[in-house]
Amino acid sequence: MRTSSASTSSPLVAAMAAGVDQQPLPFFLRPVLLHGVGAGAHLLLALAVAGRLLFAAATASRRGKESAASGRGGPGAGLRWRRLVVHATWTLAASEAAYSLVSWYLDGGTGWGAPDADVVADQVDYATRAVAWLLLAAYLQLEYGPYGPRAEERFPAPLRLWWALFLLLSVLAVAIHAATSLQHRLPVPRLSWARDTVSVLVGVVLLVAGFSAKSEAVGGSASEEPLLNGASNSAAVDASIFTGAGFFSFLTFSWMAPLLAVGHRKTLDLDDVPDLDIGDSVAGLLPLFKANLEALTSDGSGGQKVTAFKLAKALVRTVWWHIALTALYALINTISIYVGPYLINSLVQYLNGDERYASKGKLLVVIFIVAKVFECLSQRHWFFRVEQTEIRARSALVSVVYKKGISLSSTSRQSRTSGEMINLISVDADRVGCFSLYMHDLWLVPLQVAMALFILYSTLGVASFAALGATVLFMLANVPPMQMQGKFQRKLMECKDVRMKATSEILRNMRILKLQGWEMKFLSKIIDLRHKEESCLKKYLYTSTVATFVFWGGPTFVAVVTFGTCMLLGIPLESGKVLSALATFRVLQKPIYNLPDTISVMIQTKVSLERIASFLCLEELPMDAVLRLPSGKSDVAIEVSNGFFSWDASSEVPTLNDLNFQARQGTRVAVCGTVGSGKSSLLSCILGEMPKLSGEVKTCGTMAYVSQSAWIQSGKIQDNILFGKEMDSEKYDRVLESCSLKKDMEILPFGDKTIIGERGINLSGGQKQRIQIARALYEDADIYLFDDPFSAVDAHTGSHLFKECLLGALGSKTVVYVTHQIEFLPAADLILVMKGGRIAQAGKYNEILGSGEELMEMVGAHQGALAALDVIDIANGGSEAFSSSDAASLSKSLSTAEGKDKLNGKEDVEKVQSGQLVQEEEREKGRVGFWVYWKYLTLAYGGALVPFVLIAQTLFQVLQIGSNYWMAWACPVSEDFEAPVSMSTLIYVFVALAGASSLCTLVRALFLVTASYKTATMLFDKMHMSIFRAHMSFFDSTPSGRILNRASTDQSEVDTSIANKMGSVAFAIIQLVGIIAVMSQVAWQVFVVFVPVIIACLWYQRYYIDTARELQRLVGVCKSPIIQHFAESVAGSATIRSFGKENQFVSTNSHLMDAFSRPKLYNTAAMEWLCFRLDVLSSLTFAFSLIFLISLPTDLIDPGIAGLAVTYGLNLNMLQTWVVWCMCNLENKIISVERILQYISTPEEPPLSMSGDKFPHNWPSEGEIQLHNIHLRYAPQLPFVLKGLTVTFPGAMKTGIVGRTGSGKSTLIQALFHIVDPTIGQILVDGVDICTIGLHDLRSRLSIIPQDPTMFEGTIRSNLDPLGEYNDNQIWEALDNCQLGDEVRKKELKLDSPVIENGENWSVGQRQLVCLGRVILKRTKILVLDEATASVDTATDNLIQKTLRENFSEATVITIAHRITSVLGSDMVLLLDNGVAVELDTPAKLLEDKSSLFSKLVEEYTMRATHT
């Protein structure tokens, strides 16, 4: 009876009872350890469940009432999962109870008295398992059964973790039983195998079903709700494509089939990609992450101190479940990988006919295949969950950075450039997310090394310690090159940051660069920055060759040391043991290579976390700077008491001093003063944007703000005006009418649905300002702040806006408006005259006119300008009122001219409906063309290095197989056989072959890196040359985010990834051919399976790539809007905050992040779908080979070579998957080359200079400009802007151009500078057709002061003289002439005074004066002023006009101006309307003709200017 019982329960006791003479088992294989751990774990479970049952019983009645009140829903997918869990648990409980009873019965009760600890541990384990699972089954039935109180809730996390632990224990039991049976040849009872099988199967079911059963309750946390913010049921179904999948579908990724089918049938669009699960979306993720971050960083006083550690901890808390799950998958995967190397020796002995293994053949095959299945499943789900973790981490970080970005104070905003902030979301957040792939390596690497050491010790004995020493030594030797690589990568990123910052600034200001002819100078600046970057890139790439050499040479080095130690110690080398060791070394390859790489990634991640944490610590705009009262709480709308404010808190002199004023509800407050007096700063202090040193600011009611520099979002005009509010058609039409936008909407091709380019690029300055005003009006706020919006519009439109908006629509509102136009002052209830940061005068117009000299100076300057209008009195016999009939005739005349033009341009307007100026980002469709690959391969040295790379790789493979083949052949199968060669010969030949193969990898890596570096450099140079030489229309229609994406993300792929990806495809194919060649040596019949399997693999790859390629393209397309939206939001943060729209913009960012995450997540899922199927197919090949081997008579095959075939076959599934994965990954990544080549083929402008240019060196000497029948439009799908314009500008004369906003004034100037090519007609300068000469020859001989004043980051000197052509004296003279000399002399660094990004530390007026200084330095024969004095006061304007008269007395000057006084001093006046020249004559003659449109414009301006 004793023998019978022992044989049933314990393998060890059974063996001893049977009298098997065997060495004792190692302790870690003894049943006492396995069953002791199992018993302890199940005892804890039983106690926990029993306590929970008691608690549930105590609260049952109360919960029963609540449950009855809440009702129940239908049986959803989650409910079915829960039923499966309950049934599986009962099944396992029943089987454990039955097994325990059978075991106890067979032991006859004597096992408890046996002194053997193994038997006691067995019995205790059986008993605790039965009790624990019965209790758990009862608990789940009561709580989660169909009528349980938690039938619709998710299983708690501790329970799901227990199921994961149980599955791990079950798999370990199988592994230990297999090792006991195969390695130590002790019999394992069949009942134990049956129990292990049931445990593993039920464990898998519980784990998968437990994870898949989501909460279906209406309540619960945001992360568990199926619907959010009223989302429809259909949306929820879409979002559940993954989470609602069935067990088999989940296991095999079959839930991806519908999307793959759609992608195979048609080109995927973003709308075809399913939504994210709520847990992966920003809406479900951000609240949890913010709560975790706030809990960790709150210091008790309301402040927050974010550190890299706290940020990482908050992320871990947010995604802890995915971290735990991926850890489990990684553990199972690691154990499965080492099963093959462990059992190779047993297989060789079986094939050799060893009697001890005579009955183990089928069992060995089953274990090999089961291990492969576990390896495949765990790896596929591990990688997918890692991508989910990455997406969640990135989304959380980008969201908090975005929210911080639009909340920064002005001081913080100035400390970070927009380029640096963009890098946080485009580079740093990505890098932190990517760390999820490496996060388990810190504990996996030691585990893998320990397992490898165990296998080596079991085969080679003490020589395994030499292997450990070699491994550690090689890891340490790998650290210096990895550190160098990390250092070079950091420098590379720093250089890239600087380059991207410069590129971003240049792209924003490309128009001014082309107008000035500076684009090549600035391109050389980018090329210089790239050269510094290339220096780091070159070092980084060549250092990576060392890492490659280590990766492929590591196993060889460890093998040489180990086998050399065996030779020295006299340890016999048998083929089975050698092959087991070689397979182990190959598995060790990954941890040897990965640990330094992981450390490097950790360092990079730490740096990124520190950068993000540092940004999150920046000071936000204080919420208490302004006391904001709700509407109707006070009669006073705005009150500032004893206010001292400064943009620079460290400055001794405040920007604004001693401010005291009050504006009552419904009053109009005008703010005036000279340039730099503090007018815009006054509005900023009311908004709370300016740091307050002391005093108090109160506002009562909602607020709307119109900035001086128009902030327009890219998107539809209508969306800019509505600004997130609901459409009210009647109100909307009134706003358009008030802002003079009706006519513009008629002219624009799509009306208010026209998409505006980046920063309103396809709108005139006046149109942008009127859209800003319309946005403010539609907001219907209580308080309106206008920062000089009338300067950007013409006199007629400015007058209309003032009357209709300020006096009409906003008549009952509180309005504070900054203005330089004196004529708008009398209408104000309160005028604040600013001087030196103080309110110099305050009161009504008539009250303060004579009380101080500040206002008198401005009025005097204004009246001086009006003196030129005395001619009107002569012409009209006195100043008459501008009657409504005159206004009607003016309007009629304009519309008549417009009507004629509409007839001419009707066809063009019809054609225009084909497209907007800003199109959706272009992306190729279908397969990436072969020409892309060919172009990439042949770009560097004509592709001469490619054959050398392939030859080196082939030699490596041949030599590596040769070295292993040699070891398998030369080593005896067992100690009973004589070795064909001596031990020393064996080792020396192996060292020679292995050393030569390693050398081939180094040669291959060097060739590959050389070709990669050259190709990356050439692509960069060609793309940037094409971009800088592109037509201006390219920049108008292409948001800078798209260009920056190619210059950063795509270029980075080309720099560091694509050559490796392309090499990997070739190397993987060569390796695969090598493996099949080795396997066919033993069983050529493997081709019977291999050929159809390869065909199936290629079919799957083709089927998959259709979807994956488009998903990858969508990832690229969806990233640009995130960057662009972030950049726009930061630039317009003051406007967003003033309107209180922060939440709206945060929501938009969340939507864009989800749109980016969707294709990224499903792209990974598609990859895992493919890899799973490839793994299954390659496992079939491997299984066929194994079955064929054990089916053959043992005397027909060489056991050593057969073992070698199996050793290589272990990698077959991985390699076969790798081949297809590399092909797919390459096709996804090569899209970056495709996108760069798109821009390389961008149409260029005409040449910069022409060798055949025949004109005098002093051309133009006269400065005469003739336009003949000019028809011009910005793009083929857009209407004509200039329509048959014929006009002559006489040389050395001053011509003024007037006309309403959008009439074509600025377009005419762009035509003159050859920015836009005329469709019809020609432009002659001194008789030379400008289209026949080089662009730089033309533009270098013209000067312009543009409408938008532009300053570049740098110094005053570099802004005035970017080309370095003038000395300091000339620069100072120019500064004095443009009224900036004294201001610059006050600065400590004088000409080297810093200018920050966009020149934001200088006022708009001062920026305009710098532009004036540039043209004074250049002194050309032709000068164009495009609204040059729009941003300065009248007195400064008069000084500028005087300066221009003195410096350009002999030049042809063309002036576009909205101030009539700016053109009255001209020799000629041209009046444009809707692209047609309506009038051209001297001002005097036009004024004499009372019916002329110019005369009527002047009359209207005069009446407005003299109105009191």
Side-chain angles (χ1 to χ4, degrees), residues 847-911:
E847 291 173 3
I848 63 172
L849 190 57
S851 63
E853 58 185 43
E854 287 80 10
L855 183 60
M856 282 297 293
E857 284 178 6
M858 287 187 283
V859 172
H862 179 61
Q863 289 174 343
L866 289 175
L869 296 174
D870 288 343
V871 68
I872 296 172
D873 290 329
I874 301 167
N876 296 343
S879 180
E880 298 176 20
F882 185 62
S883 67
S884 58
S885 61
D886 291 330
S889 65
L890 170 62
S891 177
K892 185 177 177 182
S893 304
L894 290 172
S895 59
T896 303
E898 179 192 341
K900 290 176 187 174
D901 179 66
K902 278 191 176 176
L903 290 172
N904 297 333
K906 188 176 180 183
E907 291 177 13
D908 301 314
V909 174
E910 287 172 359
K911 286 179 189 172

Side-chain angles (χ1 to χ4, degrees), residues 1059-1081:
N1060 288 332
K1061 297 283 184 288
M1062 199 166 274
S1064 294
V1065 171
F1067 309 155
I1069 291 171
I1070 291 169
Q1071 281 185 282
L1072 185 61
V1073 170
I1075 285 182
I1076 296 302
V1078 171
M1079 292 179 74
S1080 64
Q1081 288 290 306

Side-chain angles (χ1 to χ4, degrees), residues 915-1054:
Q916 300 268 16
L917 173 66
V918 180
Q919 303 286 342
E920 279 191 29
E921 181 165 4
E922 182 185 350
R923 64 181 176 109
E924 301 290 339
K925 307 284 185 181
R927 293 183 61 180
V928 176
F930 175 74
W931 69 273
V932 177
Y933 297 92
W934 184 252
K935 185 82 174 175
Y936 181 82
L937 284 170
T938 57
L939 199 60
Y941 311 108
L945 295 182
V946 175
F948 292 104
V949 172
L950 295 177
I951 290 167
Q953 176 63 25
T954 306
L955 278 174
F956 161 74
Q957 192 63 34
V958 169
L959 290 168
Q960 191 187 55
I961 291 173
S963 65
N964 292 343
Y965 202 96
W966 165 260
M967 293 298 286
W969 174 81
C971 290
V973 177
S974 68
E975 55 192 20
D976 301 330
F977 289 79
E978 185 180 346
V981 296
S982 67
M983 179 73 93
S984 57
T985 305
L986 175 79
I987 298 299
Y988 292 150
V989 172
F990 175 72
V991 168
L993 290 171
S997 72
S998 297
L999 191 62
C1000 285
T1001 63
L1002 184 62
V1003 172
R1004 181 207 76 195
L1006 287 169
F1007 277 134
L1008 188 66
V1009 161
T1010 303
S1012 167
Y1013 172 75
K1014 181 69 174 174
T1015 305
T1017 305
M1018 292 177 74
L1019 282 173
F1020 179 91
D1021 292 344
K1022 285 174 178 286
M1023 179 176 72
H1024 280 72
M1025 177 58 79
S1026 294
I1027 289 171
F1028 277 70
R1029 292 285 295 113
H1031 286 273
M1032 197 60 223
S1033 58
F1034 170 76
F1035 300 97
D1036 291 344
S1037 59
T1038 308
S1040 62
R1042 293 182 193 172
I1043 303 173
L1044 292 173
N1045 212 359
R1046 282 167 173 80
S1048 58
T1049 308
D1050 292 323
Q1051 186 63 46
S1052 289
E1053 293 288 355
V1054 171

Side-chain angles (χ1 to χ4, degrees), residues 756-774:
I756 302 172
E758 195 173 19
R759 302 185 312 281
I761 201 84
N762 49 333
L763 298 175
S764 71
Q767 286 170 327
K768 285 188 278 190
Q769 274 296 11
R770 283 182 286 128
I771 288 171
Q772 271 211 127
I773 296 169

